[in-house]
Amino acid sequence: MGLIEIGGDWSRTCQGMTRRSLLRVGLAAPFALGAVEGWSRAAESPRAKSILLVWLGGGPSHLDLFDPKPNAPAEYRGPFSTIATRTPGVRYSELVPRLAARSDQYALIRSNVNYHDGHREAASIGLTGVAREARVYPPNFGSIVARKRGDDRLPRFISLAKGPIRDGVGPVQGYGGGTWGRGYDPFLIGCSETGELAIPSLKLAEGLTPARLADRRAMLEELDRFRRSYDARAETVWDDLNRSAYALLTSRAGIAALDLAREPRAVREAYGQTSFGQSCLLGRRLVEAGVPYVQVNWSQYVEVYYAFSDYGWDTHADNFGLLAEWHAPLFDRVFSTLLDDLQSKGLLETTLVVCMGEFGRTPRINDIGSRDHWHQCYFSLWAGAGVKGGRVVGESDARGEFPARFEVTPAMVGTTIVELAGISSAMRAELRVLEGGRVIHELF
Amino acid sequence: MSYSRRKRASARLFAPLIWLACAACARGGPDPVRITTDGKLKLSPVVLADGKEVVFAIHDRPNAVALVRLDLSDGTRQPEYSGSTAHQFDPAYSRDGRWAVYARSSTAPQLVLVIHDRAEKKDTLFRPRDSRATARNPAFAPDGSVIVFSLSDHGGQQIASVDHQGNSLKILTNSAGMNAWPAFSPDGRSIVFGSSRNGDFEIYVMDAGGGNVRRLTRSPGLDIRPAWSPDGKSIAFTSNRDGNYEIYIMDADGSHPRNLTTHAGRDDHAAWHPDGARLLYVSDRAGGSDLYMITVR
């Protein structure tokens, strides 16, 4: 089994864990879906047993990837050639040849829109379906799915990142439970380029290794003893942890899902030795294990190379060099491998795969030869769960600036995702989420 | 264990492999030869003038791309510039070894050039005007007097040059599209570079002071990252004209292009060995990103 790092903050006295440290756990480990009231059993016959959202934070350039404009003026079109895809009449940028050769496996939307040009606001809008920026956002699509789907064996909403997705200023508010509270935030797992895992939200047990997990019964008994001795608020927090997060780490299914070393070497190599590649492989394994909603993040930060950042898609400078050198080859390889892998395992029929960022980039090249934020038209990729491969939904105008046909809003994206996950319009009305949204029937 | 002891221990394990690899390349043996096996993401390698060491950018720490120096004789590595948490890219060295230059992250998203005097152990910065601008792909003139690089600043992305103090900025191109990856010819009279001035990325050459631009490639895909051979007769570059990234080589006038790597994986970032008979490059053909050496026949 690969290495799992589980935080490092178990303050322990001779008498056991301190109250203070338990409260810190409560603050640091908000994932709690299993124990939150209002939970229902799995929705009936969802078309998608699982949702796998691949999030390209920072804003990938639509013109330089899936919506090239070779006939636009030079100050718009960029330096890349176009190539044919497997879909007759549809051309992509030359930077994504593998995905071009697999265009029959997924649908492409070229007319997504958002309502804000800031990363945190647009990501919050894009992940919750709300129509404007807000101080507190409604729940993430993953939180909605998790409230109605899954069981207590495994966390129901997992986000693969070292921490909440963010920009250099702060976290994306819409990354989790929002108005429903932190109890509906995703369970975070960081995955390194070698498949080593870090679980930042469980800053609980320093030295809690897979070997120690073997003695989990004793550990849980001890922790349960502490649970009983604390106040109601702490107890709720502890119940959440005990029922949900620890399920992942103490169940055979959970341990197995996390163990990338169980994959054939050829499969791990096909995904490539990058954090994004191994995260996509982990995402597939979590879907396979039955987690209803998994968000794989390209990076934690949207920025490319600030001193702290991890190569997000926010290519304000050197967009074309970066895409050709780093982002596009990596994405083309990994996402193609993910689709092939899901297909070969028969998981695409029951898994909805959605890939998108919070917006695209300015069609007009800026004065330093790059592209800035552009929320008024961008792309998303959809596969599995009945989505018709090879289909292009929507169309942008001649310069890629605005939808020319069929504007797709974040509410439509969210409604489609949760509907396929079995959250019916009646359920949405009951939960008071995504009201007024409509399914993108054109994908099917 | 001290660094020197680690180095000796590593040398005992690694030297036979490196020796076999280099010997195989030198006699035209099985190609390509894998130089690294860690699989971590690598960029822009250079072989130093003595042919014994390689410097490259590697993504081997969370949130950091850093330059490391690899000793080909024993496989030991050490940070090229320790103590910095900034991202480091695109290493280059003057032929006499006195000067080094690389691109470094700064007040984001700006990338600056760090010009390092290895004799005086002193750094000088070249900082673009715009806070978002970037300076990348630096290369020294053969006499070490000038550094050329790609500058994304007001006026688009152009080829520029500065002196060792980061002064005397000259913009050598003035075209539409992007201009990047400049490299001097060994005689210092010409600069080869990539440009999208005519639509997609192609390889061009111009006089060392700019001007007299001639186009060398005409392919449907991108042709990027040219590298002039030590004898001046050939230019290696990356092309996707056959469907994916491959290392190509052509005569210095653009004739006789041929695919050296021919693999479904990505082959990129070619750098000449000083012996002129081998090329170092980055490939993900085995899953991870690693350095390979191939003989140029």
Side-chain angles (χ1 to χ4, degrees):
Chain A
M1 165 119 194
L3 177 67
I4 301 179
E5 176 196 334
I6 306 175
D9 201 31
W10 192 354
S11 302
R12 200 178 171 88
T13 68
C14 294
Q15 290 76 42
M17 190 165 67
T18 64
R19 176 191 175 97
R20 184 179 170 194
S21 79
L22 182 62
L23 291 174
R24 269 208 298 273
V25 170
L27 291 171
F31 177 79
L33 295 167
V36 175
E37 61 179 319
W39 193 270
S40 71
R41 291 295 114 193
E44 292 178 10
S45 306
R47 192 185 290 185
K49 289 181 179 173
S50 295
I51 308 295
L52 184 54
L53 171 63
V54 178
W55 182 253
L56 308 179
S61 170
H62 53 303
L63 268 76
D64 300 311
L65 296 169
F66 297 97
D67 196 8
K69 300 295 178 184
N71 299 317
E75 62 268 31
Y76 287 81
R77 67 172 176 254
F80 302 121
S81 302
T82 65
I83 55 175
T85 69
R86 194 151 179 172
T87 308
V90 176
R91 298 183 72 83
Y92 293 168
S93 149
E94 62 183 319
L95 298 183
V96 286
R98 296 185 193 204
L99 286 168
R102 290 164 176 79
S103 65
D104 58 328
Q105 293 183 15
Y106 57 91
L108 163 67
I109 295 179
R110 283 175 162 166
S111 53
N112 289 91
V113 297
N114 200 303
Y115 304 113
H116 204 284
D117 260 343
H119 291 292
R120 286 172 293 131
E121 297 86 351
S124 296
I125 291 167
L127 291 168
T128 65
V130 73
R132 64 188 61 83
E133 66 176 306
R135 192 177 61 80
V136 181
Y137 286 89
N140 186 295
F141 307 142
S143 304
I144 299 170
V145 171
R147 185 158 177 165
K148 292 290 185 184
R149 291 283 314 282
D151 55 38
D152 290 341
R153 288 182 311 116
L154 294 168
R156 305 171 188 209
F157 175 17
I158 293 178
S159 183
L160 299 182
K162 292 173 290 187
I165 54 173
R166 57 177 297 157
D167 67 6
V169 176
V172 170
Q173 295 296 321
Y175 96 103
T179 51
W180 285 358
R182 295 193 64 194
Y184 291 91
D185 283 357
F187 184 64
L188 296 170
I189 302 175
C191 181
S192 78
E193 70 279 5
T194 55
E196 294 174 349
L197 307 183
I199 303 180
S201 56
L202 280 180
K203 288 185 180 297
L204 174 64
E206 186 168 13
L208 184 59
T209 64
R212 287 191 62 191
L213 286 173
D215 192 24
R216 59 186 180 272
R217 183 172 300 280
M219 177 186 71
L220 288 174
E221 285 174 357
E222 181 184 8
L223 295 174
D224 191 52
R225 183 169 61 82
F226 283 112
R227 176 185 69 81
R228 287 193 297 270
S229 66
Y230 291 116
D231 59 51
R233 181 180 171 192
E235 183 171 346
T236 300
V237 171
W238 180 244
D239 280 351
D240 298 344
L241 275 174
N242 202 17
R243 292 185 189 183
S244 301
Y246 265 80
L248 182 70
L249 297 170
T250 57
S251 73
R252 190 162 294 173
I255 290 288
L258 294 176
D259 191 357
L260 296 185
R262 295 180 184 220
E263 287 290 332
R265 182 175 174 178
V267 173
R268 295 195 67 182
E269 288 184 348
Y271 277 95
Q273 201 168 327
T274 62
S275 173
F276 177 63
Q278 295 301 301
S279 292
C280 280
L281 174 56
L282 178 58
R284 191 225 76 203
R285 289 183 64 82
L286 291 169
V287 162
E288 203 172 16
V291 176
Y293 198 101
V294 180
Q295 179 170 327
V296 177
N297 297 290
W298 169 272
S299 58
Q300 183 188 3
Y301 285 84
V302 302
E303 290 88 356
V304 184
Y305 38 47
Y306 284 33
F308 51 77
S309 61
D310 50 353
Y311 267 76
W313 287 86
D314 192 23
T315 52
H316 287 286
D318 197 24
N319 171 73
F320 305 107
L322 286 166
L323 289 189
E325 179 180 65
W326 187 300
H327 295 72
L330 185 56
F331 175 68
D332 186 46
R333 174 193 178 127
V334 174
F335 197 66
S336 297
T337 301
L338 175 65
L339 292 174
D340 289 352
D341 198 15
L342 288 166
Q343 180 102 303
S344 70
K345 287 189 165 291
L347 291 169
L348 260 189
E349 286 183 17
T350 56
T351 305
L352 174 67
V353 182
V354 183
C355 177
M356 61 184 181
E358 66 270 40
F359 42 55
R361 303 207 76 81
T362 45
R364 187 182 180 93
I365 296 168
N366 67 21
D367 62 344
I368 60 169
S370 197
R371 299 194 195 270
D372 300 315
H373 303 174
W374 189 259
H375 69 272
Q376 298 174 92
C377 191
Y378 60 106
F379 76 91
S380 58
L381 309 178
W382 298 68
V387 170
K388 292 283 189 202
R391 189 162 285 187
V392 177
V393 174
E395 181 185 348
S396 62
D397 64 16
R399 294 177 174 179
E401 293 179 308
F402 305 97
R405 183 172 58 81
F406 192 54
E407 182 176 293
V408 174
T409 66
M412 293 162 71
V413 169
T415 302
T416 306
I417 288 173
V418 304
E419 175 80 19
L420 285 180
I423 318 299
S424 65
S425 57
M427 291 176 176
R428 297 196 294 274
E430 175 195 331
L431 295 171
R432 305 184 68 178
V433 294
L434 294 166
E435 293 171 289
R438 76 109 156 147
V439 171
I440 310 168
H441 296 291
E442 291 77 1
L443 288 166
F444 306 96
Chain B
M1 190 184 288
S2 68
Y3 172 72
S4 59
R5 287 185 63 192
R6 283 202 312 272
K7 186 177 170 77
R8 281 197 300 275
S10 174
R12 282 196 295 275
L13 293 170
F14 202 77
L17 292 175
I18 289 291
W19 183 85
L20 283 171
C22 294
C25 278
R27 67 170 184 270
D31 272 342
V33 175
R34 191 169 178 176
I35 302 297
T36 63
T37 57
D38 59 87
K40 294 180 178 178
L41 210 147
K42 298 176 183 68
L43 305 166
S44 51
V46 293
V47 187
L48 300 189
D50 62 4
K52 295 177 180 175
E53 294 179 307
V54 172
V55 177
F56 55 96
I58 182 169
H59 194 195
D60 69 347
R61 285 180 291 145
N63 303 11
V65 175
L67 300 183
V68 296
R69 180 177 291 235
L70 168 67
D71 186 331
L72 288 174
S73 70
D74 59 18
T76 53
R77 297 184 190 186
Q78 54 184 313
E80 184 67 344
Y81 301 102
S82 56
S84 171
T85 57
H87 296 282
Q88 304 162 356
F89 307 90
D90 305 337
Y93 298 82
S94 63
R95 190 179 284 178
D96 65 5
R98 164 84 186 263
W99 299 92
V101 62
Y102 64 99
R104 194 188 72 188
S105 61
S106 177
T107 50
Q110 193 181 60
L111 282 183
V112 304
L113 289 185
V114 181
I115 304 164
H116 181 58
D117 184 338
R118 301 178 77 201
E120 301 291 331
K121 301 190 185 316
K122 178 184 162 193
D123 286 346
T124 303
L125 296 187
F126 169 76
R127 193 180 292 278
R129 286 179 301 167
D130 192 289
S131 62
R132 305 163 299 157
T134 59
R136 287 202 65 177
N137 322 125
F140 281 95
D143 66 2
S145 62
V146 168
I147 299 162
V148 290
F149 59 100
S150 62
L151 176 63
S152 298
D153 207 332
H154 300 297
Q157 185 169 322
Q158 305 293 344
I159 305 298
S161 68
V162 291
D163 62 21
H164 292 146
Q165 302 307 312
N167 296 326
S168 306
L169 175 68
K170 293 177 184 169
I171 307 299
L172 303 180
T173 57
N174 181 25
S175 80
M178 310 298 137
N179 298 277
W181 313 291
F184 273 97
S185 60
D187 63 10
R189 294 178 180 174
S190 304
I191 295 170
V192 67
F193 63 104
S195 178
S196 64
R197 61 187 60 201
N198 288 311
D200 68 344
F201 275 120
E202 302 288 351
I203 307 296
Y204 295 79
V205 68
M206 65 181 172
D207 294 346
N212 190 25
V213 176
R214 291 94 71 195
R215 182 171 173 173
L216 297 184
T217 60
R218 293 178 187 277
S219 81
L222 56 80
D223 298 314
I224 56 177
R225 287 191 259 284
W228 219 309
S229 67
D231 66 5
K233 293 179 179 176
S234 305
I235 293 168
F237 60 103
T238 300
S239 179
N240 69 350
R241 62 185 67 185
D242 290 333
N244 76 320
Y245 283 40
E246 304 279 7
I247 304 299
Y248 277 70
I249 189 171
M250 63 183 173
D251 295 347
D253 63 0
S255 61
H256 304 110
R258 57 193 187 279
N259 186 341
L260 279 184
T261 44
T262 318
H263 193 278
R266 175 189 177 193
D267 302 302
D268 200 355
H269 293 282
W272 287 93
H273 190 282
D275 67 12
R278 290 175 280 173
L279 278 169
L280 182 71
Y281 64 100
V282 179
S283 177
D284 66 1
R285 57 183 57 204
S289 169
D290 278 303
L291 300 181
Y292 291 76
M293 192 90 81
I294 191 168
T295 303
V296 180
R297 297 183 177 87

